[in-house]
């Protein structure tokens, strides 16, 4: 986004005077899907597109919220920043303000806020986490609150739970808040220990393919998966006490899986436990420069999400199948919550044009939907722009 244009829009809306700008990115997850809320590993990276927040503190006792993407605007009294406003997009920033109020922070001043996002909508690239994180960082800075970045990440995740009703793990907000250009984050979602791993792929690019079938990450199906994982933990715990699926190894799971009587919960657990091991292995292979092996593990991840976790569907499966047919594709899988949204593929540079042409044509023929492709750039986490 052209920053000068954004600034101009802010002035047109709220008038001349001083104001600041912040940015927080969307993310793409390379491997480790539906593991975060099970205390497992994830391996996401921040993207170069995300959410922008332009903000000015005012003498009024209200916060004005407007966006360049959507027409809905509102003005909220600073005391009411803990109440959702219908089902509107403003609930993401308001949900974050609510977390500050919960900490006992009282806002004596209001603010003028203008949001702009360039993460493709509903694509499973964390447009909501980007919006939450950019609000958290902007508010923290504007009011000089001194809350550390990790705490802001946790507050943003809480906002998603409480104001969007999605009982998400911490991956998206963490990647948006803590990402680093040209690195992926190997995060242990239990301890929150992490390692920034350089992603220097010689002659290979990360290609994101958008199915343009909006990912229906409504609270329903997502929260159902969370509940099924809890059921598996309860069943296993009768034989070996664990607090999360990350607490057992694949070997242990093989011995205990029969104890999970509910077939669905057993399948869900099989995905999660195997995915956690795949993620750890994938990072080891990447560090050792074994990119082909990394790609095979990505493929394994998708197949497990399709067969055992059942979060893929016709569009994502078709996109992945078509991608894997192209020579020069190292690996391809769905990314994010699933049920539509995007896939991520590692593609040799010389094959990218063919990839976009062939996968695009075949995917459209099979689904009737026109896909979009982005060659990803790994960017930095949330930051002040001016
Ligand atoms: C969504 C959630 C994340 C994570 C992924 C699946 O993006 O917000 O916390 O669970 O789905 O890996």
């Amino acid at each position: 986004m052209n920053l000068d244009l954004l600034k101009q829009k802010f002035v047109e809306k709220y008038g001349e005077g001083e104001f600041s700008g912040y940015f927080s990115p969307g993310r793409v997850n390379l491997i480790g899907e539906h593991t975060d809320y099970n205390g497992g590993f994830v391996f996401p990276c921040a993207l170069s597109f995300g959410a922008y927040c332009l903000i000015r503190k005012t003498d009024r006792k209200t916060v004005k919220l407007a966006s360049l993407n959507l027409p809905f605007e509102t003005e909220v009294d600073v005391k009411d920043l803990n109440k959702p406003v219908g089902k509107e997009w403003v609930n993401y920033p308001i949900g974050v303000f609510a977390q500050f109020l919960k900490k006992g922070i009282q806002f004596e001043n209001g603010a003028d806020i203008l949001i702009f996002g360039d993460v493709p909508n509903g694509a499973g690239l964390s447009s909501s986490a980007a919006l939450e994180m950019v609000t958290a960082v902007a508010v923290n800075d504007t009011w000089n609150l001194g809350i550390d970045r990790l705490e802001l990440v946790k507050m943003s995740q809480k906002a998603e739970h409480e104001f969007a009703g999605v009982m998400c793990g911490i991956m998206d907000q963490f990647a948006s808040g803590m990402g680093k250009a040209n690195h992926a984050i190997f995060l242990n979602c239990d301890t929150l220990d992490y390692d920034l791993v350089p992603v220097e792929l010689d002659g290979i690019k990360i290609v994101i393919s958008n199915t343009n079938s909006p990912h229906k990450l409504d609270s329903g199906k997502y929260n159902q998966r969370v509940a099924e994982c809890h059921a598996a933990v309860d069943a296993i715990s009768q034989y070996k006490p664990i607090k999360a699926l990350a607490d057992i190894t694949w070997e242990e799971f093989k011995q205990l899986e029969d104890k999970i009587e509910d077939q669905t919960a057993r399948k869900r657990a099989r995905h999660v436990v195997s995915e956690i091991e795949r993620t750890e292995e994938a990072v080891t292979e990447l560090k050792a420069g074994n990119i082909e092996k990394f790609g095979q593990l990505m493929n394994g991840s998708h197949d497990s999400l399709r067969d055992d976790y059942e979060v893929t569907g016709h569009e994502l499966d078709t996109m992945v199948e078509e991608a894997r047919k192209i020579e020069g594709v190292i690996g391809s899988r769905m990314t994010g919550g699933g049920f539509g949204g995007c896939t991520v593929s590692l593609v040799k540079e010389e094959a990218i044009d063919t990839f976009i042409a062939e996968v695009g044509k075949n995917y459209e023929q099979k689904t009737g939907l026109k896909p979009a492709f982005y060659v990803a750039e790994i960017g930095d986490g949330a930051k002040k722009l001016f």
Side-chain angles (χ1 to χ4, degrees):
M1 175 57 165
N2 179 333
L3 258 188
D4 288 334
L5 186 62
L6 256 183
K7 287 180 184 174
Q8 186 190 321
K9 296 279 180 200
F10 186 91
V11 172
E12 278 169 22
K13 182 133 207 79
Y14 297 121
E16 296 283 351
E18 281 191 20
F19 57 98
S20 303
Y22 298 82
F23 169 79
S24 197
R27 63 95 190 93
V28 63
N29 188 22
L30 299 179
I31 192 163
E33 217 67 81
H34 287 280
T35 50
D36 59 353
Y37 51 85
N38 288 297
F41 294 115
V42 292
F43 196 46
C45 31
L47 293 167
S48 53
F49 41 68
Y52 295 77
C53 173
L54 274 54
I55 182 166
R56 170 191 289 154
K57 207 148 82 165
T58 66
D59 295 334
R60 285 188 329 261
K61 296 244 179 241
T62 60
V63 171
K64 287 187 182 177
L65 285 157
S67 154
L68 293 178
N69 300 83
L70 293 162
F72 182 83
E73 300 181 8
T74 194
E75 182 169 359
V76 182
D77 192 286
V78 287
K79 291 195 301 299
D80 292 333
L81 287 166
N82 51 3
K83 300 186 187 98
V85 175
K87 292 208 175 304
E88 295 295 342
W89 69 269
V90 292
N91 285 327
Y92 293 104
I94 292 176
V96 171
F97 269 106
Q99 304 309 314
F100 286 101
L101 292 188
K102 272 191 167 178
K103 287 190 176 297
I105 291 155
Q106 287 173 1
F107 294 97
E108 299 298 337
N109 309 77
D112 291 334
I113 294 180
L114 181 66
I115 298 290
F116 170 73
D118 56 5
V119 184
N121 264 345
L125 299 175
S126 292
S127 47
S128 57
L131 179 49
E132 289 151 0
M133 253 341 281
V134 82
T135 309
V137 170
V139 169
N140 188 47
D141 216 50
T142 305
W143 274 270
N144 250 314
L145 299 172
I147 298 174
D148 70 44
R149 186 57 68 92
L150 184 59
E151 188 58 26
L152 296 175
V153 166
K154 292 181 186 167
M155 289 162 70
S156 297
Q157 180 195 16
K158 273 263 152 51
E160 181 86 27
H161 289 182
E162 293 170 9
F163 278 66
V166 180
M167 298 312 289
C168 64
I170 201 162
M171 169 169 73
D172 303 349
Q173 291 79 7
F174 199 97
S176 187
M178 314 288 272
K180 184 168 174 216
N182 303 319
H183 288 71
I185 309 168
F186 181 41
L187 171 67
N188 177 328
C189 296
D190 178 30
T191 61
L192 299 186
D193 289 335
Y194 68 100
D195 188 10
L196 291 168
V197 181
V199 180
E200 286 148 4
L201 305 169
D202 205 15
I204 293 166
K205 295 275 186 209
I206 299 170
V207 179
I208 298 172
S209 309
N210 190 344
T211 61
N212 276 328
S213 158
H215 89 135
K216 302 158 202 91
L217 189 55
D218 56 60
S219 38
K221 284 185 183 152
Y222 186 91
N223 293 348
Q224 190 190 346
R225 295 298 182 283
V226 176
E228 287 159 353
C229 291
H230 289 161
V233 168
D234 289 345
I236 292 171
S237 287
Q238 301 193 2
Y239 302 88
K240 178 185 189 307
I242 55 170
K243 67 179 183 7
L245 286 172
D247 296 342
I248 50 168
T249 62
W250 178 247
E251 291 310 314
E252 288 169 324
F253 174 75
K254 291 310 288 172
Q255 281 160 20
L256 289 167
E257 68 174 323
D258 293 349
K259 315 283 190 211
I260 311 173
E261 273 170 36
D262 183 310
Q263 295 292 324
T264 306
R266 190 190 296 180
K267 283 205 305 189
R268 306 302 189 238
R270 188 185 306 138
H271 163 72
V272 172
V273 178
S274 65
E275 181 78 354
I276 292 170
E277 298 221 342
R278 260 191 300 276
T279 306
E280 203 171 7
E281 201 184 331
V283 174
T284 306
E285 297 294 352
L286 183 72
K287 285 181 174 168
N290 299 331
I291 193 71
E292 298 286 341
K293 188 77 206 337
F294 187 90
Q296 287 161 18
L297 291 159
M298 286 175 78
N299 290 345
S301 166
H302 182 88
D303 298 350
S304 171
L305 287 156
R306 179 191 61 210
D307 302 335
D308 283 335
Y309 221 64
E310 297 176 286
V311 291
T312 58
H314 178 57
E315 290 87 1
L316 285 168
D317 289 336
T318 305
M319 191 74 91
V320 161
E321 268 162 39
E322 292 306 323
R324 289 183 190 167
K325 287 181 193 161
I326 308 289
E327 208 178 309
V329 170
I330 315 281
S332 186
R333 58 180 290 277
M334 59 154 268
T335 187
F339 309 108
C342 288
T343 67
V344 57
S345 309
L346 296 185
V347 186
K348 289 195 176 145
E349 260 167 272
E350 65 270 19
I352 291 181
D353 289 345
T354 315
F355 179 96
I356 292 176
E358 287 296 308
V359 177
K361 184 179 80 203
N362 297 338
Y363 172 81
E364 190 174 349
Q365 246 168 31
K366 293 193 172 164
T367 63
L369 294 167
K370 226 182 178 28
F373 300 93
Y374 326 98
V375 178
E377 274 172 53
I378 307 182
D380 280 320
K383 60 185 170 196
K384 184 171 186 178
L385 297 172
F386 61 90

